[in-house]
Amino acid sequence: MSLTNNPNVLKWVDEMIALCKPEKVVWIDGSQEQLSALKKEAVETGEMIELNQEKLPGCLYHRTNPNDVARVEDRTFICTRRKEDAGPTNNWCDPKDMYAKLSKLYDGAMKGRTMYVIPYSMGPIGSPLAKVGVEVTDSIYVVLNMNIMTRMGADAFKNLGDESNDFVRGLHSKADVNPDERYIVQFPEDNTIWSINSAYGGNVLLGKKCFALRIASFQGKNEGWMAEHMLILGVKKPNGEVKYITAAFPSACGKTNLAMLIPPEGYKKDGYEVFTVGDDIAWMKPGKDGRLYAINPENGFFGVAPGTNSKSNFNALESTRKNTIFTNVAIDNSDNTVWWEGLTKNPPVDATEWKGAKVNGVDFKAEGGNLAHPNSRFTAPAENCPCISPEFNNPEGVPITAMIFGGRRASTTPLVYQSFDWTHGTYMGSAVSSETTAAATGAVGVLRHDPMAMKPFIGYNVGDYWAHWLEMGEKLGDKAPKIFNVNWFKKDEEGHFMWPGFGDNMRVLDWIIKRCEGEVDAVETPIGYLPKPEDINIQGLEDEVTPETMEKLLCVDKELWKKEIAEMRRYYDEDIAGKGGNIPSELYGVLDKIESNLNK
Ligand code: GTP
Ligand code: SPV
Ligand code: MN
């Protein structure tokens, strides 16, 4: 039964069937019966492992091929008719050629398998900001993850209606999981995504990065809204007011952690609370009152497991205690539960490491092994999160007061500073650079430019994307959110993080909110407004963050910043403008101004 009469959907699904030649086609209605049957089948075939159902009810485990554990940026393409529309940050290929090449790979790729047709909504069903997608896949793992990450099932088709053609077509086949023929391809002009030869989340849960960022950023430019790699959180103040903040950090740089932070004792006592609206992606559009409103298009968290524990992120850990899928973590065989680096101090003795080998966990660690893959993940329903916002399902979204950029920077970038204005804030976003992490394949710990934490996700020319940011700022005028930059990762001479981070990041949010409300002054420096050291509340942290440490955290080292600016100019000139990116002159204006400030 096909769940819809929409001829555009039916025609496209027929084409995909003709191409992939599955043995059977199953339309996913989202019912409990259907999901239970799929879980049972996946456990029977060994695709998923059932975990301890008393300690982790509804939880399943999955292991991907060791060659397939992260996003593959070098095999990710934006295929627009004109190469210049994909721009200098994307791999490009002519859509005609790419369709032809991939059609050969998909031809018969689902022989002997079932094709699942998944209707889903990104955003609350019925929200004016929501959009519909359909993903066809030969993986039950994908179906079960999409059930957590999106609003999946027949209701999504109801929202699309019987005639609309406005849905994103996603084709996924794990095929042979052959890394040499792995492709993650977006065709923004056709609302189409083709992904093949992978089964790792970021490459195959097509609603997430492929749709909600790469395709949606392109749609947002054409339709006057923004799709960003941003968490959304609400800070409830003692007077009951809630201020909403978004923050863009590159992959594995702290979005999930900040989104779910637990305020320090002193703040709790004063009545502060933090609510999570989203931990990875924000879709934002000006509302009727002229302010910028954000929804989280997702319905769950695909979070980094290592490092998550009851102290670092209690709310994330709680979110994973039921109906969660764990991927590439370790199994504690003593009670069939999960373990990862940083969960507890001592690894389980009787463990199965992420590749599937039974090991003595203590010896294995002593020899320097990772029991869980550094990019192992949990897929947890948002409704499990103890601090989920009451506005999570609000179709209109939440009004944004401040936006934050950040990254992993061992030096140079201070703990926090504010942009002079929206244009400077856009520049700040364009200047994000961060040490690479295990979330994508390739070397870890290398400093690279990652504008707006969107380098792997901008679905068109980065120069036009920056111009779109400036246009949005103009449209929002004095109602635009204020823009800040943070760095939780500054290190001292011995290589230790100077800022305690996690819950204590509340202290920085506090300053940011006070700045937005005009309640606190700042120091004007060549690079932006910095806090006066006494305006960052360190009550209860005095031993850890001494006045000398705070001074280092808030220092603007002119010589380092001159180098930073020189590198930015090189980046703009060579990597962007020199390779077909049309940089708005306003951004060069900011660069000139900061440079001259530094030389004064
Ligand atoms: P993606 O899901 O890949 O987009 O990642 P993310 O941005 O949500 O990152 P996440 O919150 O999962 O954090 C990734 C890593 O950063 C974890 O190992 C955390 O322990 C670490 N981390 C997060 N916040 C802080 C912080 O404030 N200070 C320090 N030192 N580490 C942090
Ligand atoms: C990221 O890498 O930014 C993630 C995980 O959030 S993935 O879904 O793999 O993109
Ligand atoms: Mn992410």
Side-chain angles (χ1 to χ4, degrees), residues 469-510:
W469 262 83
L470 294 176
E471 277 159 27
M472 292 298 298
E474 215 152 284
K475 204 185 294 178
L476 293 161
D478 59 7
K479 296 199 169 121
K482 302 276 186 278
I483 302 179
F484 297 79
N485 196 95
V486 302
N487 178 19
W488 314 141
F489 300 94
K490 209 170 181 191
K491 289 183 176 167
D492 62 17
E493 293 79 8
E494 273 124 49
H496 300 125
F497 293 124
M498 287 195 276
W499 178 247
F502 301 98
D504 288 310
N505 293 331
M506 179 67 216
R507 302 165 191 275
V508 173
L509 298 183
D510 183 19

Side-chain angles (χ1 to χ4, degrees), residues 355-405:
K355 291 201 282 302
K358 280 199 144 209
V359 296
N360 177 318
V362 177
D363 295 348
F364 189 83
K365 292 261 20 138
E367 283 156 25
N370 278 324
L371 283 173
H373 186 274
N375 192 40
S376 54
R377 299 258 167 182
F378 53 79
T379 318
E383 64 182 17
N384 284 0
C385 182
C387 61
I388 196 73
S389 166
E391 303 299 317
F392 177 71
N393 283 310
N394 185 337
E396 306 297 328
V398 294
I400 302 305
T401 296
M403 289 175 156
I404 304 176
F405 293 113

Side-chain angles (χ1 to χ4, degrees), residues 225-248:
W225 53 282
M226 306 167 90
E228 297 295 333
H229 193 199
M230 287 178 165
L231 68 92
I232 311 165
L233 63 78
V235 177
K236 187 170 163 195
K237 303 197 302 176
N239 69 5
E241 251 186 306
V242 184
K243 297 285 169 191
Y244 293 95
I245 297 176
T246 64

